[in-house]
Amino acid sequence: MRVTRRSILGATALTVSMTALAACSQDPGTGGSGGASDGGGEGEQIASDQNDINPKEREEIGEGGVLRLANNAFPANWNTFHSDGNERNTIDMMDTMYPVLYQYSAAGEVTPNPHYAKRIELASEDPQVMEIELNEGMTWSDGTPIDFKSIENVFKVRDGSQEEYAIASSEGYNKVEKIEQGDSDLIAVVTFKEKYADWIGLAAVMPDSLAESAEAFNTGWQAEPLVTAGPFKVGKIDAANKTVLVEPDENWWGDKPFLEQVLFTTIEDPAATATSFQNGQLDVIETTVPATYSVVEPLIGNGAVLRQAAGPNWTHITLNGAEGRPLADQAVRQAMFRAINREDVFLSVNSTMPYPENTEPLNNHLLMTNQEGYQENSGDLGSYDPEAAKKLLEDAGYTLEGEGESLVASKDGTPIEITYVYNDGSKTNEAVVPVVQEQLKAVGITMKVQKVPPTDLFSKYVIPGEFDLALFGWVGNPFLSSGDSIWKSEGEQNFGKIGDPDTDELIDQAAVETDHAARLELINQIDANLWELAGTIPLWQSYDFFVQNEDLANYGAWGFQSKDWTKIGYVTGSAKLEG
């Protein structure tokens, strides 16, 4: 069965020279395939089903070669099901050596991954019953079979019933009534309590040793992944030098990967990453900020190419509205929305980046600007108006005293002071901080700044709630419901602790709505509520900009497409194959 979800996405965090999160995952920020760009930034917006990865058939790719990649944060936990491991850098490395049961195309079409799954389909729609059938003969690296028990482990650990397991999210799994073995030990039968639109996105496997106890799940993989099952395996993890080397796994049952090795190096300073690429020490650089792009741009057309796509990733500022924090007051948060000029923030980072001309701020929390169903629901809260920000504060009982640089907003004698936390070395944040700081000061809000180690940003600050403002990215995928835990009041990824029952109810409705048009309506209702709650300030849709060796095939700006590490390599005849 094939499922298409072009107009919806989920998330993982990413670090944008920053950090980003994944599934949905975080990204701290590093800030139909089209042809490679010459580096120009003019032109129309890239379509959602268009990407740029230099697609080649297997017969066009040579065996061998080393692919040298960089990331900007070393893993705090290699278990990507764990809240600390659900981060883009970690997931990118684990994708080389861990099973993912489904895959998605640039058009957002979701299908079973033939390397692992024979079928993932609905056996019944009322009640909703999903069947997952795995391929025969697959084993984990510890020798145990990948079978029904591996699937059951995921559903039992992630259903939210065992609070001692620090899972990234329980969304979807908490809607499952039961999971049973089918006609063989390779088949799982999953019965839902109610219909769940993104059912295929729940299909996953987990080794027994990782699921056997909360201690094993939470801390067992902090130093390294103890069990793998993919085209590559761990060759060496050097935590001191923050490098990870993976090499082909001789026990892999699928198509043989082409690359001899993949080397991941953590380089926390984007300028150093750019210099490493310039000096020929890296084969790819994901460049999201001028500090790196300006260094590598002269190489475009001289052995390197720029590949770009407009996928489901986006940059934002999360506000922490937890009880007792300065931003617990919705009026203060809404005032900040009016006080921050999102266009200025975008230009502070991207004025010289190859975005299309007249790129506008992202005005939706759930849909990207190039996706079906996208509409602006921001109302007044999406427009810059410092005078309106002041009025919001005054109407909420705050006193504004002084003027200019001396303006202070306070209530009951307590001034509004907040802390902006970001990962040290982030060029995105370094550009954004002075802009936001000045704009908030103009309405009487004092913003302090705290820089923290990249590896600690999520695990020690964002996830525990030790911040007031944090800029990072969300890495999307074709499943809207994978991001539900960001927006729900009690969601595991709701780091700002901002939500309400009405929005929770709409999220639940959207998750079980199988009519496409009706679901889009619910999505936009949710988004309108999120603007009023004022917990996350959408900034911009983060384009994929990869500058890389021109001979590298099936790698680059994926957009909405997932990677296949068995197809990535250098074209036949490339000098990169010579050692």
Side-chain angles (χ1 to χ4, degrees), residues 263-285:
L263 176 65
F264 298 90
T265 301
T266 297
I267 307 175
E268 297 173 355
D269 180 1
T273 306
T275 301
S276 294
F277 183 84
Q278 184 184 46
N279 293 339
Q281 297 164 330
L282 295 173
D283 301 303
V284 177
I285 178 172

Side-chain angles (χ1 to χ4, degrees), residues 21 31 44 52 56 79 93 118 133 218 284 293-294 309 342 366 385 431 449 458 485 528:
L21 295 176
E44 298 179 356
D52 188 3
K56 299 293 181 183
N79 176 9
M93 288 185 275
K118 186 173 293 185
E133 183 173 3
N218 294 335
V284 177
Y293 185 70
S294 62
R342 293 184 296 145
L366 303 173
D385 189 336
V449 180
F458 291 113
S485 63

Side-chain angles (χ1 to χ4, degrees), residues 427-454:
K427 298 302 181 185
T428 295
N429 278 285
E430 288 175 3
V432 168
V433 161
V435 175
V436 172
Q437 196 169 38
E438 181 179 354
Q439 291 174 349
L440 292 180
K441 186 62 180 173
V443 300
I445 298 174
T446 299
M447 188 183 93
K448 299 178 179 178
V449 180
Q450 182 179 7
K451 292 190 290 186
V452 303

Side-chain angles (χ1 to χ4, degrees), residues 330-398:
Q330 183 176 1
V332 177
R333 300 197 304 269
Q334 290 185 344
M336 290 178 59
F337 272 51
R338 302 307 306 271
I340 294 174
N341 187 328
R342 293 184 296 145
E343 185 175 350
D344 284 352
V345 172
F346 173 81
L347 291 174
S348 74
V349 178
N350 300 301
S351 61
T352 60
M353 294 299 294
Y355 278 90
E357 287 186 349
N358 303 316
T359 296
E360 297 183 354
L362 179 64
N363 285 308
N364 197 300
H365 296 76
L366 303 173
L367 296 170
M368 295 296 97
T369 57
N370 58 347
Q371 287 184 286
E372 179 188 358
Y374 173 84
Q375 65 184 45
E376 297 185 10
N377 303 301
S378 56
D380 291 340
L381 290 169
S383 61
Y384 171 61
D385 189 336
E387 294 305 314
K390 293 176 186 177
K391 188 174 188 307
L392 280 165
L393 292 173
E394 290 174 331
D395 289 347
Y398 289 84

